Amino acid sequence: MSIEITGVSKRFGDFVALEDVSVSIPTGQLTALLGPSGGGKSTLLRIIAGLEYADTGTVGIEGLDATALPARKRGVGFVFQHYAAFKHLSVRRNVAFGLEIRKRPKDEVRRRVDELLALVHLEQFADRLPSQLSGGQRQRMALARALAVEPKVLLLDEPFGALDAKVRKELREWLRRLHDEVHVTTVFVTHDQEEALEVADEIVVINEGRVEQIGTPDQLYDEPANDFVMRFLGPVTQLGDQLVRPHDVALAPGADDPDAVAGRVARVVRVGFEVRVEVSTGEQVVLATMTRTEFLRLGLDVGATVSVRVVPGAPVVAAGPGSSSVRPGLEVRAG
Ligand code: ATP
C-alpha cells in the first residue's frame, strides 16, 4: 500500500513536534525516517500507524483518507525497539497469536507459522520461550509476529536499536533481504545514518519536526540539500570556506599546484585499512582520508609539504557563520 502524508503538523502543548511534513511513500518501498533524537521520527511513525493523530494535515493510505481511522483499521503491523513478547508463550505461539485471535483454522495457522519461522530463520527455536532467545532472535520473532497477519504496511520503530553493533548489522542485512522477498511497504525509524544508507530505498531526513530532505541514499550522500544533511550523513571537514567529506580531499606531494591550497602534514592516524591525514594549512586543519594503498603511493610523512584540493564533482557545502572547522584529531560527526 502507498502512504501519502500531506502537510502534517503535531504539537504537544506548546512544543511543535512536527511542522508541515509531507512525504509520499510508494507501494513496496523500504523507507527510513532518519534524524537526531527528538526530531519527530517516532511521532510521524505513530501518526502513520494511527497511534497518534495529526493536528492538521492528512494521512492517505492507498488513496483513501485514513487521517481519522483508528490503528486497528489501517492494516499496519508494528515492531518497537523494546519489543514485549508474551513471556509464558513459546516462540511458535507468540507468532501465531494474531492469527489465533482472528480465529483462523488450526491447520492454516500451523502452516503460516511454519512459513514465517522459516522466513526469519527461527525454525529450530519454535518451542523455546522468548527468554531463551538472544536479542537478535527476539527481534526476528517480533518481525515474524508482525508479518503473521499480513499487514499491508510494516512500521518499525528503531527495531534493532537495543542490540549490539554486530547483531544490528546482521539484522539490517537480513531486513533488506526479507523485504526483497515479501515486498511489503515498510517504514523504519533510525538515528543511525549507516543503517539508513545501507538498507533503505529512500530516506526521509527529519530534524526539529521538519523534513530536511527526501531522496535515495546516493542522492542524499552526493547531493545533500543543506549543511545539516551533509553533516548528518557522514563526517565532514573544512577547507577554506567549504565543508567537504574527508574522503573527497585529495593530497599531492609538494606545493606546486597553483589551484590547490598548500599545507603540511600534521598527523597521520591509521584505522584498519583507512588512513586519516591531518593537514595544517596555517589557518585550518583539514582532514583527508584515504586507503592505505593510496597513502603509501603518495609517500607522505608528518612534516611533508602537500597540495590540498577537493576532488572534482564532490559534494561541497559552504561553511556558514557558526560552522566550526575540524580540529586536530577530531571528526565532526552528528548524531
Ligand atoms: P528518538 O530518536 O529519540 O525516539 P524521535 O525523532 O523519534 O526521537 P519523537 O519521539 O517523535 O522524536 O519526539 C519528538 C518530540 O516530541 C520530542 O521532543 C518529544 O519529547 C516530544 N514528544 C513526543 N511524544 C510526546 C508526548 N506524548 N507528550 C509530549 N511531548 C512528546
Side-chain angles (χ1 to χ4, degrees):
M1 281 202 294
S2 61
I3 303 169
E4 195 74 42
I5 296 150
T6 314
V8 161
S9 298
K10 177 75 183 175
R11 281 168 180 269
F12 294 107
D14 285 344
F15 182 80
V16 180
L18 293 174
E19 172 119 55
D20 195 19
V21 169
S22 296
V23 181
S24 180
I25 299 171
T27 304
Q29 183 170 283
L30 178 50
T31 305
L33 305 182
L34 172 71
S37 179
K41 308 177 296 290
S42 299
T43 302
L44 183 59
L45 197 77
R46 292 170 64 80
I47 287 173
I48 299 172
L51 297 174
E52 198 86 72
Y53 294 95
D55 297 333
T56 54
T58 57
V59 178
I61 297 185
E62 197 68 0
L64 296 174
D65 185 358
T67 313
L69 214 60
R72 68 195 148 79
K73 296 205 170 154
R74 293 194 186 192
V76 298
F78 326 104
V79 175
F80 297 103
Q81 177 174 346
H82 296 287
Y83 170 67
F86 294 115
K87 292 191 175 64
H88 58 291
L89 296 183
S90 67
V91 170
R92 167 179 290 283
R93 293 288 311 283
N94 264 284
V95 175
F97 183 78
L99 297 168
E100 287 175 355
I101 56 170
R102 282 172 177 74
K103 302 214 178 344
R104 299 278 179 83
K106 278 215 165 69
D107 346 337
E108 185 196 316
V109 172
R110 191 171 315 118
R111 203 176 48 243
R112 180 87 188 118
V113 171
D114 282 342
E115 274 170 26
L116 285 161
L117 289 175
L119 192 67
V120 300
H121 307 300
L122 286 179
E123 303 100 311
Q124 70 272 45
F125 302 112
D127 299 319
R128 288 203 188 174
L129 292 174
S131 61
Q132 297 167 322
L133 298 179
S134 72
Q137 289 163 347
R138 220 172 299 154
Q139 286 300 57
R140 285 180 356 233
M141 178 184 77
L143 279 163
R145 192 168 106 168
L147 287 168
V149 294
E150 294 180 41
K152 309 237 171 42
V153 175
L154 191 59
L155 303 176
L156 312 174
D157 195 351
E158 299 256 5
F160 314 134
L163 305 169
D164 73 49
K166 186 164 171 288
V167 179
R168 278 180 84 108
K169 200 159 163 44
E170 281 169 15
L171 276 184
R172 68 194 192 211
E173 284 163 12
W174 173 84
L175 175 67
R176 183 68 243 182
R177 285 199 303 274
L178 176 80
H179 180 266
D180 292 345
E181 271 177 53
V182 297
H183 289 297
V184 57
T185 308
T186 304
V187 184
F188 76 103
V189 164
T190 182
H191 62 266
D192 181 336
Q193 59 275 46
E194 232 181 82
E195 191 159 291
L197 288 168
E198 195 176 308
V199 174
D201 295 316
E202 198 162 64
I203 300 173
V204 180
V205 183
I206 297 182
N207 177 39
E208 294 183 350
R210 291 171 175 277
V211 173
E212 297 276 357
Q213 190 173 2
I214 302 177
T216 63
D218 283 353
Q219 283 168 343
L220 261 59
Y221 205 78
D222 295 339
E223 300 157 44
N226 54 41
D227 185 87
F228 176 84
V229 176
M230 174 94 175
R231 283 167 171 272
F232 199 74
L233 287 200
V236 290
T237 186
Q238 195 174 334
L239 177 60
D241 53 6
Q242 298 178 319
L243 286 169
V244 296
R245 300 203 192 285
H247 62 78
D248 290 329
V249 175
L251 303 180
D256 318 327
D257 185 346
D259 297 328
V261 177
R264 250 165 34 87
V265 175
R267 190 162 167 242
V268 175
V269 184
R270 291 182 182 79
V271 185
F273 294 111
E274 187 183 85
V275 180
R276 299 179 189 172
V277 183
E278 290 168 9
V279 177
S280 170
T281 64
E283 288 161 15
Q284 287 170 327
V285 175
V286 184
L287 178 68
T289 56
M290 61 195 76
T291 61
R292 239 178 100 76
T293 315
E294 175 66 3
F295 179 73
L296 293 173
R297 190 184 67 78
L298 290 172
L300 297 177
D301 218 332
V302 173
T305 305
V306 283
S307 305
V308 188
R309 58 186 184 82
V310 179
V311 296
V316 163
V317 172
S323 298
S324 59
S325 62
V326 173
R327 279 169 296 160
L330 267 189
E331 265 181 49
V332 178
R333 187 183 259 277

